[in-house]
């Protein structure tokens, strides 16, 4: 944007170290002269986009460049007379943005939209003209970028700006690709602006755009943006890091010799691989210096090994770990378990005989392309490659693509994207319910700070079968991701088949079954906010607590004493011990019933307690040297048993449970109801059964009571 344009030469001369090795830079003065000469004949490509054409053909040899020529002609003619703050013709800005994307391997449609991305906003060109000349797809992207750019970047406008940017990204990730390249070029040319404006733009870039570049996998843009922001916001640390790199440049670098040793090892193993020394960028050097203190020569770079097939990656890993001493703690397999941003590689490190430690990245060439360019390398995610090529060819031949007039009228209309990552879907979902811009802004930054994603599976078999969550998410987050506001009534969960609290953290691959209350008055506790990590959960909980202040207070009241109900009758068990005149008691810890296998032990006073043989107290009795006594059951069928029932709290639950017990012809000897914890209630019933064989039917009847989700023996 022209508002952020400054003198590019001053920036590059001030900090030449920030230039990425091997990356072509535009000569803006030469481009400016070429642009002022106007368009060339229809037969040849304008000199001003020669760099773009060369970079594009490197990734797409068969690309039709005629549509780029027409886009440049329209952009140059519409921007003619407009100048950047540096004094360069304005056309140099869309040219530079387009070259950045071309170097990343963007497809022709993206480059066409990039050349035109400022025309609708800053010139007399209309969306209808763009649609008629270049088709609906280019129109859609240009309109998306235009709507994002139309909003002022003042402090108060930032939340709404990025809300629209987020929605535009969800509808077509190419909109964000162009925005990121646009910001990178503006950051490169930021040097002569007022320091306070530099700092403001750098902070927004750091807080939102760099995390978005990381999420979209565009590492090439992310690393350069990090270095540019680092130089502006932390000038002292930047100068210190620059001095470290300059001092290292004058010393002998051990990595080239290590790389040659690796080449020899792989050549002898018959593995065709390209071994490169990859210098660390400024922020990476700064981070590793803080982590390790004094840096050695091998700390200023890493080895990058590129191979042809996935299997070769593991072959390289085996050779490295065989021929060198591996550093086991540094091994990470992002091929078997890719990162949430499409990144795939093997990371390892090994020590050489002279004490140097080399960090290594192993990946295929396709993985390398995706690691550098992320979603840009995927082309058009909304159509097959054949359809994209056909549409481009048709647009080039006729100057128009068939489609409805409404195709790009609203770029925020939902489009089906099967490749949309889970984190982006989550952001799109919760941004609609963010109550105010400040909440949206703070929660967005917290969400983007997450650098890990997990996938959990639904136990109920519903659709979708999986739920994507940020690392560290709890069952509370899973509940709101699955049920939305209905999760207010969640009372517990089973994780991998075991009952657990809602505050339990989830791990990648867990199976989750969420338990919901049927009581409409149920609501979340204020404590849930401490364990909720996703914006959707935090916003929903906060809104409910604000709307129900009395309900929130009720959850923090002091715990009540357990309610106990005792029947009029006592009664003994029907176990008989082989000890004359001994009093026999059934142990309350396991309440054995016929035909359980049992064991008896003599305790103080000469009484015999009877336990199930699986009871933990049996081992304890034997370790204490208690006398063991043989025990058998009488022929009578009646017995006493203690059952535990777990449920959510609701009115009349105790009455419904005791009614279900009575219908089975069972007498309640005693009952204890513990105070609710996280809306869950635990009941303990000591029951006298007329026949032990009726126990399974009794437990089923109790489980059928609404709200009861588990019944077990004590």
């Amino acid at each position: 944007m022209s508002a952020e344009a400054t003198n590019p030469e001053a920036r590059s001369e001030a900090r030449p170290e920030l230039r990425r090795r091997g990356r072509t830079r535009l000569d803006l003065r030469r481009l400016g002269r070429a642009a002022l000469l106007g368009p060339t004949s229809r037969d040849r490509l304008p000199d001003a986009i020669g760099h773009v054409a060369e970079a594009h053909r490197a990734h797409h040899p068969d690309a039709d460049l005629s549509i780029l020529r027409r886009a440049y002609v329209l952009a140059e003619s519409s921007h003619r007379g407009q100048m950047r703050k540096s004094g360069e013709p304005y056309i140099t800005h869309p040219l530079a943005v387009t070259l950045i994307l071309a170097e990343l391997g963007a497809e022709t449609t993206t480059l066409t939209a990039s050349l035109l991305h400022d025309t609708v906003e800053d010139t007399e060109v209309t969306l209808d003209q763009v649609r008629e000349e270049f088709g609906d797809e280019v129109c859609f992207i240009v309109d998306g970028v235009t709507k994002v750019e139309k909003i002022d970047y003042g402090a108060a406008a930032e939340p709404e700006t990025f809300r629209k940017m987020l929605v535009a990204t969800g509808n077509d990730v190419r909109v964000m690709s162009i925005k990121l390249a646009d910001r990178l070029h503006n950051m490169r040319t930021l040097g002569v602006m007022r320091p306070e404006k530099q700092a403001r733009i750098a902070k927004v870039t750091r807080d939102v755009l760099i995390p978005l570049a990381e999420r979209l996998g565009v590492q090439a843009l992310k690393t350069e943006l990090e270095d540019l922001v680092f130089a502006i916001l932390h000038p002292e640390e930047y100068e210190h890091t620059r001095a470290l790199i300059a001092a290292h440049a004058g010393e002998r670098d051990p990595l080239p010799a290590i790389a040659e040793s690796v080449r020899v090892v792989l050549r002898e193993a018959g593995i065709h691989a390209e071994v490169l020394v990859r210098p660390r960028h400024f922020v990476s050097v700064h981070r590793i210096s803080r982590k390790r203190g004094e840096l050695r020569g091998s700390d200023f770079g890493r080895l990058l090994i590129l191979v042809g097939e996935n299997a070769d990656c593991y072959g390289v890993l085996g050779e490295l770990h065989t021929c060198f001493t591996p550093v086991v703690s540094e091994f990470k397999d992002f091929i078997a378990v890719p990162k949430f941003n499409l990144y795939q590689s093997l990371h390892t490190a090994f020590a050489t005989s002279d004490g140097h430690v080399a960090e290594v990245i192993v990946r295929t060439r396709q993985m390398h392309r995706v690691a550098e360019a992320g979603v840009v390398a995927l082309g058009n995610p909304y159509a097959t490659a054949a359809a994209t090529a056909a549409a481009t060819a048709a647009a080039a031949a006729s100057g128009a693509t068939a489609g409805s007039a409404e195709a790009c009228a609203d770029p925020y209309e939902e489009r089906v994207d099967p490749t949309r990552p889970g984190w982006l879907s989550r952001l799109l979902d919760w941004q609609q319910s963010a109550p105010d811009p400040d909440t949206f802004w703070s929660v967005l930054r917290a969400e983007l700070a997450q650098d890990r994603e997990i996938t959990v599976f639904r136990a109920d078999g519903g659709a979708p079968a999986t739920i994507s969550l940020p690392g560290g998410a709890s069952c509370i987050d899973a509940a709101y991701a699955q049920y939305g506001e209905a999760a207010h009534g969640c009372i517990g969960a089973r994780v991998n088949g075991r009952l657990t609290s809602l505050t339990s953290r989830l791990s990648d691959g867990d199976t989750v079954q969420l338990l919901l209350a049927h009581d409409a008055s149920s609501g979340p506790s204020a404590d849930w906010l401490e364990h909720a990590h996703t914006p959707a959960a935090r916003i929903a909980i906060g809104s409910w607590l604000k709307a129900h202040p009395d309900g929130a207070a009720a959850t923090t009241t002091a715990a009540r004493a357990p309610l106990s109900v005792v029947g009029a009758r006592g009664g003994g068990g029907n176990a008989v011990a082989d000890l004359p005149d001994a009093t026999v008691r059934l142990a309350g810890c396991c309440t054995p019933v016929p035909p359980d296998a049992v064991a008896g032990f003599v305790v103080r006073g000469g009484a015999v307690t009877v336990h199930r043989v699986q009871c933990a107290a049996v081992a304890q009795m034997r370790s204490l040297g208690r006398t063991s006594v043989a025990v058998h059951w009488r022929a009578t069928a009646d017995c006493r048993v203690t059952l535990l029932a777990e449920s959510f709290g609701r009115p009349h639950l105790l009455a419904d449970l005791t009614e279900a017990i009575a219908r089975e012809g069972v007498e309640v000897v005693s009952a204890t109801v513990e105070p609710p914890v996280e809306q869950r209630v635990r009941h303990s019933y000591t029951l006298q059964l007329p026949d032990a064989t009726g126990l399974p039917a009794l437990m089923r009847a109790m489980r059928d009571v609404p709200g009861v989700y588990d019944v077990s023996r004590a």
Side-chain angles (χ1 to χ4, degrees):
M1 297 298 297
S2 57
E4 297 178 5
T6 55
N7 185 358
E9 300 300 325
R11 184 69 179 181
S12 60
E13 290 173 6
R15 294 199 167 93
E17 305 88 358
L18 293 183
R19 298 187 182 208
R20 293 182 62 83
R21 297 187 183 182
R23 170 167 290 186
T24 306
R25 283 300 183 87
L26 286 174
D27 183 342
L28 294 183
R29 290 175 179 171
R30 185 184 70 78
L31 282 180
R33 289 193 297 271
L36 290 174
L37 295 177
T40 59
S41 68
R42 296 179 63 88
D43 304 0
R44 56 189 291 264
L45 206 63
D47 292 338
I49 58 172
H51 284 73
V52 173
E54 181 182 350
H56 188 40
R57 279 281 171 84
H59 293 279
H60 304 277
D62 300 326
D64 182 359
L65 300 180
S66 62
I67 191 172
L68 292 181
R69 185 191 69 79
R70 292 191 291 110
Y72 169 74
V73 169
L74 178 59
E76 187 278 330
S77 61
S78 60
H79 286 298
R80 189 176 298 168
Q82 295 179 355
M83 309 297 286
R84 304 194 83 210
K85 289 188 177 181
S86 62
E88 300 294 338
Y90 190 82
I91 188 63
T92 58
H93 172 66
L95 277 171
V97 172
T98 305
L99 178 61
I100 291 170
L101 293 169
E103 289 175 338
L104 292 175
E107 38 85 41
T108 309
T109 302
T110 303
L111 300 186
T112 304
S114 175
L115 283 169
L116 301 170
H117 79 271
D118 280 337
T119 55
V120 174
E121 180 183 358
D122 294 340
T123 74
E124 299 300 319
V125 175
T126 66
L127 281 174
D128 287 337
Q129 290 176 294
V130 174
R131 184 191 307 111
E132 292 172 4
E133 182 71 18
F134 301 99
D136 293 334
E137 200 73 21
V138 172
C139 171
F140 189 95
I141 299 172
V142 170
D143 194 21
V145 177
T146 300
K147 278 187 165 58
V148 168
E149 296 290 2
K150 274 184 178 179
I151 305 171
D152 179 39
Y153 277 86
E158 284 174 0
E160 190 59 28
T161 298
F162 286 101
R163 186 195 294 268
K164 287 187 175 290
M165 182 184 301
L166 182 65
V167 177
T169 302
N171 288 328
D172 197 320
V173 292
R174 292 172 293 182
V175 172
M176 180 52 68
S177 301
I178 295 173
K179 177 58 191 174
L180 288 172
D182 176 86
R183 177 54 63 95
L184 175 57
H185 181 244
N186 286 327
M187 288 294 296
R188 286 175 177 174
T189 60
L190 205 62
V192 297
M193 279 189 164
R194 299 189 308 275
E196 59 272 18
K197 189 167 186 180
Q198 288 188 42
R200 180 178 65 80
I201 294 173
K203 287 177 181 177
V204 173
T205 304
R206 176 198 62 193
D207 291 344
V208 176
L209 287 175
I210 288 177
L212 277 174
E214 168 75 12
R215 291 298 184 97
L216 294 172
V218 195
Q219 295 295 322
L221 301 187
K222 178 222 172 193
T223 54
E224 189 170 355
L225 284 172
E226 280 184 330
D227 285 349
L228 292 165
V229 168
F230 181 46
I232 293 172
L233 298 183
H234 305 283
E236 294 182 1
E237 290 91 337
Y238 169 82
E239 289 300 330
H240 174 69
T241 305
R242 186 193 63 78
L244 285 176
I245 295 175
H248 168 69
E251 300 175 354
R252 176 180 172 275
D253 188 350
L255 285 178
I258 297 174
E260 184 58 33
S261 300
V262 172
R263 291 188 191 102
V264 171
V265 167
L266 299 181
R267 193 180 307 123
E268 292 177 351
I271 299 176
H272 298 285
E274 184 179 1
V275 183
L276 306 171
V277 176
R278 188 170 192 178
R280 293 182 184 273
H281 63 105
F282 273 56
V283 172
S284 180
V285 171
H286 174 66
R287 288 171 180 160
I288 203 168
S289 66
R290 295 185 63 181
K291 177 181 177 181
R292 301 179 183 175
E294 184 177 354
L295 299 181
R296 297 185 297 178
S298 58
D299 291 331
F300 288 87
R302 293 183 286 189
L303 299 185
L304 173 63
I305 302 178
L306 302 178
V307 295
E309 304 292 337
N310 287 19
D312 293 335
C313 294
Y314 294 96
V316 169
L317 183 69
E319 293 298 325
L320 294 179
H321 286 191
T322 300
C323 300
F324 302 95
T325 303
V327 181
V328 179
S329 61
E330 295 294 328
F331 173 68
K332 296 181 180 67
D333 187 347
F334 294 118
I335 295 178
V337 185
K339 287 188 176 182
F340 58 82
N341 59 0
L342 311 175
Y343 180 87
Q344 287 184 288
S345 292
L346 295 178
H347 288 204
T348 189
F350 62 80
T352 63
S353 57
D354 53 359
H356 290 292
V357 175
E359 294 186 30
V360 185
I361 300 172
V362 186
R363 58 175 69 136
T364 66
R365 290 174 178 83
Q366 174 61 21
M367 290 176 190
H368 181 60
R369 184 183 173 207
V370 174
E372 291 292 294
V375 295
V376 178
L378 300 181
N380 182 356
Y382 308 97
T384 63
T388 303
T392 303
S398 64
T401 300
S404 64
E406 295 82 9
C408 62
D410 183 5
Y412 306 123
E413 181 182 355
E414 184 70 16
R415 306 209 315 176
V416 177
D417 176 11
T419 67
R420 178 186 291 171
W423 64 267
L424 183 53
S425 295
R426 290 199 307 273
L427 290 181
L428 291 170
D429 289 340
W430 69 257
Q431 64 86 22
Q432 298 177 357
S433 59
D436 56 75
D438 291 337
T439 300
F440 166 79
W441 185 242
S442 60
V443 178
L444 171 65
R445 288 188 292 180
E447 169 73 5
L448 292 177
Q450 298 285 345
D451 60 355
R452 191 170 65 88
E453 186 169 277
I454 63 173
T455 300
V456 298
F457 298 88
R458 292 177 56 172
D460 57 7
T466 61
I467 303 173
S468 296
L469 298 168
S474 66
C475 295
I476 295 172
D477 299 304
Y480 283 95
Q482 181 172 337
Y483 293 112
E485 291 189 357
H488 292 331
C490 198
I491 53 151
R494 291 184 185 273
V495 177
N496 302 324
R498 302 187 65 178
L499 193 66
T500 186
S501 68
L502 284 173
T503 59
S504 298
R505 283 196 173 192
L506 296 169
S507 300
D508 196 38
D510 281 346
T511 299
V512 182
Q513 178 186 1
L514 298 161
L515 308 172
L516 296 182
H518 299 286
D519 184 4
S521 64
S522 298
S525 162
D527 296 338
W528 286 18
L529 285 173
E530 299 179 10
H531 303 280
H533 289 72
T534 59
R538 295 187 62 82
I539 290 174
I541 295 168
S543 299
W544 191 94
L545 293 175
K546 186 178 294 185
H548 301 81
D550 296 336
T555 61
T556 58
T557 56
R560 296 167 296 166
L563 170 65
S564 296
V565 180
V566 181
R569 174 186 164 182
N574 53 354
V576 178
D578 293 344
L579 189 64
D581 301 326
T583 301
V584 178
R585 294 201 301 254
L586 298 180
C589 56
C590 59
T591 57
V593 298
D596 292 342
V598 291
F601 296 92
V602 178
V603 295
R604 293 175 185 173
V608 175
T609 58
V610 180
H611 299 262
R612 283 188 282 168
V613 293
Q614 300 93 343
C615 181
V618 171
Q620 185 178 7
M621 289 285 191
R622 288 173 178 162
S623 66
L624 294 174
R626 298 291 188 185
T627 304
S628 177
V629 178
V631 180
H632 63 276
W633 297 106
R634 289 195 184 100
T636 55
D638 67 314
C639 65
R640 180 175 293 188
V641 64
T642 299
L643 298 180
L644 301 178
E646 295 187 81
S647 67
F648 61 82
R650 66 171 177 84
H652 312 299
L653 177 61
L654 181 60
D656 292 345
L657 268 170
T658 53
E659 182 180 351
I661 293 170
R663 283 200 302 266
E664 296 298 317
V666 176
E667 182 180 354
V668 178
V669 177
S670 66
T672 301
V673 182
E674 298 179 6
V677 177
E678 295 183 348
Q679 302 183 52
R680 293 184 297 166
V681 182
R682 183 183 174 96
H683 307 250
S684 176
Y685 295 93
T686 301
L687 307 171
Q688 188 72 29
L689 279 71
D691 190 340
T693 59
L695 181 59
L698 170 65
M699 296 175 70
R700 283 194 299 270
M702 294 174 67
R703 290 192 186 101
D704 289 340
V705 174
V708 177
Y709 53 84
D710 196 16
V711 176
S712 60
R713 295 271 301 275

